C-alpha cells in the first residue's frame, strides 16, 4: 500500500493522500504494539512503518504542514536506524532538513544533511544528488548563489549519470529524484535569490500545459512562491491565472494555502482581477 500511495503523488492532492497514508501508518503501529511477530517479520513491518512515515512526511511537507512533516520524518528516521536501514534513515533526515530550510533555520537543515551523509556515505547516487540539492537550497537561502548552483550542477550529473556512476533515480523510500525535480529545485533557489525570470525557467516543467494530467508534480507549498515570481515580473494576470488553476485542481483551497496566497496578492488588492480572485478564495475556503 505504501508504494501504491506513493505512485499517486503526482496525480492526487496531498490533502487527499495524507489521511490515507496516516491511516496506513496507524494500522502498522497498532499491529506492532498488539501482535507478536517473529524477529524477521517484525523487522519487515518496522521497515514498512518507516517508509510509511517518510511518505506521510513528504505529503505533509507538500501541503506546507512543516511541523507535522518534521515529526513524521524524525520518527521514520529513528525507526529506519533502529532496524539497520541507514540509507532510508539518511533519506528521512535529508527530507527533514528541507523542513528546517523552509520553515526554520537553514543552518539547522545543513547540519541535518551532514548527519544524513555520515549515515549513508556516498554509495547511492540518488541520495547523494538529493543531499546536494537540499544543500543547494540551503545555500541559496543564505544568499550563496555560486556555491548553490555548483552543488545543483553536481546533483544533475549524478541523476543523469554524467559523473561516471550509475544514474540516480528511485530512492529506497520510493521517492523519485529526476532532472525535472532538480529543475523545480532550481526554481526554488532562484526565487529565494530574488531572480524571478530564472526562477520561472526552473518552475516551467511543473507549470506547463499538461498540469491537469499530472497536477501535483510540484509540491503545493511552492504555489505561492511561483505566484510571487510572476508578480515580481509584473505578470499579475498570469499569477491570477495560476492561482485560479490551483483552486480548480485542488477542488477548493485549504486554509493554510489560501492564507499564503492571499498574502502574496495583498499589495495588489485594488487590481480588478486580483479582487475577483480574493473573493473566489474566500468562497473556496468556506465551501
Amino acid at each position: 500500500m505504501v508504494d501504491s500511495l506513493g505512485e499517486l503523488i503526482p496525480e492526487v492532492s496531498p490533502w487527499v493522500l495524507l489521511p490515507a497514508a496516516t491511516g496506513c501508518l496507524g494500522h502498522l503501529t497498532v499491529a506492532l504494539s498488539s501482535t507478536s511477530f517473529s524477529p524477521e517479520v517484525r523487522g519487515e513491518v518496522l521497515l514498512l512503518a518507516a517508509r510509511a512515515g517518510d511518505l506521510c512526511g513528504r505529503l505533509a511537507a507538500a501541503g506546507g504542514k512543516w511541523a507535522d512533516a518534521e515529526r513524521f520524518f524524525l520518527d521514520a528516521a529513528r525507526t529506519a536506524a533502529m532496524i539497520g536501514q541507514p540509507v532510508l534513515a539518511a533519506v528521512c533526515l535529508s527530507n527533514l532538513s528541507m523542513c528546517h530550510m523552509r520553515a526554520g533555520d537553514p543552518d539547522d537543515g545543513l547540519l541535518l544533511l551532514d548527519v544524513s551523509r555520515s549515515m549513508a556515505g556516498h554509495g547511492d547516487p540518488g541520495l547523494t544528488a538529493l543531499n546536494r540539492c537540499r544543500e543547494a537550497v540551503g545555500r541559496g537561502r543564505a544568499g550563496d548563489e555560486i556555491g548553490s548552483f555548483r552543488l545543483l550542477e553536481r546533483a544533475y550529473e549524478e541523476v543523469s549519470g554524467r559523473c561516471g556512476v550509475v544514474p540516480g533515480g528511485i530512492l529506497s523510500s520510493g521517492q523519485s529524484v529526476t532532472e525535472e525535480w532538480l529543475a523545480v529545485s532550481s526554481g526554488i533557489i532562484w526565487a529565494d535569490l530574488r531572480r524571478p525570470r530564472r526562477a520561472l525557467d526552473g518552475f516551467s516543467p511543473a507549470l506547463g500545459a499538461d498540469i491537469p494530467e499530472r497536477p501535483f508534480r510540484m509540491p503545493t507549498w511552492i504555489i505561492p512562491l511561483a505566484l510571487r515570481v510572476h508578480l515580481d515580473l509584473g505578470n499579475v494576470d498570469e499569477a491570477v491565472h495560476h492561482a485560479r488553476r490551483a483552486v480548480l485542481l485542488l477542488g477548493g483551497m485549504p486554509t493554510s494555502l489560501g492564507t499564503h496566497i492571499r498574502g502574496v496578492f495583498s499589495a495588489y488588492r485594488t487590481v480588478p482581477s486580483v479582487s475577483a480572485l480574493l473573493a473566489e478564495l474566500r468562497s473556496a475556503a468556506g465551501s
Side-chain angles (χ1 to χ4, degrees), residues 215-261:
F216 300 103
R217 294 178 302 168
M218 185 167 68
T220 52
W221 65 264
I222 298 178
I223 292 172
L225 202 58
L227 298 179
R228 194 181 302 279
V229 166
H230 277 295
L231 292 173
D232 286 346
L233 290 170
N235 302 334
V236 178
D237 288 342
E238 189 73 8
V240 169
H241 166 72
H242 282 294
R244 280 206 175 97
R245 221 168 164 198
V247 174
L248 178 65
L249 292 170
L250 290 167
M253 185 58 62
T255 301
S256 58
L257 182 57
T259 299
H260 285 304
I261 291 179

Side-chain angles (χ1 to χ4, degrees), residues 153-168:
E153 182 178 347
R154 286 291 292 161
Y156 271 107
E157 291 174 354
E158 279 142 359
V159 168
S160 66
R162 291 195 298 270
C163 59
V165 300
V166 177

Side-chain angles (χ1 to χ4, degrees), residues 37-115:
F37 295 114
S38 68
E40 294 79 9
V41 173
R42 183 174 179 80
E44 293 175 4
V45 177
L46 283 167
L47 176 57
L48 278 174
R51 293 187 61 218
D54 177 77
L55 175 62
C56 289
R58 285 187 280 136
L59 290 168
K65 295 184 174 183
W66 299 112
D68 290 345
E70 287 188 17
R71 176 172 53 82
F72 285 126
F73 287 138
L74 187 57
D75 287 348
R78 287 170 173 163
T79 300
M82 179 180 68
I83 59 174
Q85 295 285 337
V87 174
L88 178 56
V91 169
C92 296
L93 290 175
S94 184
N95 289 333
L96 177 61
S97 76
M98 190 65 173
C99 297
H100 283 268
M101 289 173 186
R102 301 314 305 179
D105 186 343
D107 288 338
D108 288 344
L110 293 173
L111 288 173
L112 283 166
L113 288 178
D114 288 339
V115 178

Side-chain angles (χ1 to χ4, degrees), residues 165-215:
V165 300
V166 177
I170 305 298
L171 302 178
S172 57
S173 62
Q175 188 172 348
S176 180
V177 180
T178 64
E179 291 192 31
E180 178 183 283
W181 185 85
L182 292 173
V184 172
S185 297
S186 77
I188 296 169
I189 295 167
W190 284 124
D192 285 340
L193 291 168
R194 304 311 294 258
R195 303 284 287 276
R197 200 166 299 282
R198 291 194 171 186
L200 275 188
D201 289 340
F203 289 145
S204 61
L207 290 175
D210 62 337
I211 283 183
E213 296 179 15
R214 296 176 69 79

